[in-house]
Amino acid sequence: MELAPDFIKVDLSLIRGIDTDPPRQELLRALHAVAGKLGGQIIAEGIETSEELETLQGLGIPYGQGYLFGRAAPRRCKKELQESCKKAAQKAAKNLQKSCKKASKKY
């Protein structure tokens, strides 16, 4: 049997609340490792919060989609969607910086 997917899409049921659920994080970490061994990449579906995004980034998940980046829209809304993604990424980056500063102050 040959199995070599380019992408493995992970359902939102695993992604929702992953930032507060270590068992889900371990499962996704394992799926990410398997995808890498098969030459594929993970796409996380259903990202809704910057905390979920930060957790996924920390796990090395390279791709994602969800309401954090904008609601589904027709192709003609591409420009608006790109702007929405840019704003979401900027917000997530700011939150990540705040988290890093807090963590560095603890240690």
Side-chain angles (χ1 to χ4, degrees):
M1 178 170 93
E2 186 177 316
L3 182 64
D6 292 323
F7 296 98
I8 299 172
K9 192 170 184 180
V10 177
D11 188 69
L12 64 91
S13 62
L14 180 62
I15 303 306
R16 186 72 30 80
I18 196 166
D19 55 304
T20 61
D21 193 334
R24 287 180 195 216
Q25 293 172 23
E26 288 303 316
L27 181 55
L28 192 57
R29 187 176 282 117
L31 288 171
H32 182 54
V34 169
K37 288 180 182 179
L38 296 174
Q41 297 285 335
I42 296 287
I43 301 173
E45 178 184 59
I47 304 169
E48 291 191 353
T49 68
S50 57
E51 293 82 9
E52 291 169 345
L53 178 60
E54 289 171 18
T55 299
L56 294 166
Q57 289 172 331
L59 293 170
I61 306 304
Y63 301 104
Q65 65 184 66
Y67 287 148
L68 178 65
F69 305 110
R71 296 198 179 274
R75 283 187 86 117
R76 67 179 180 272
C77 297
K78 185 177 179 183
K79 213 172 211 179
E80 291 89 351
L81 184 58
Q82 287 174 336
E83 189 60 33
S84 176
C85 287
K86 183 179 176 181
K87 287 178 183 177
Q90 289 170 340
K91 181 180 176 183
K94 285 180 185 178
N95 287 338
L96 185 57
Q97 286 176 331
K98 287 178 186 176
S99 297
C100 289
K101 285 180 183 179
K102 285 180 186 177
S104 66
K105 287 180 182 178
K106 288 182 183 178
Y107 303 102

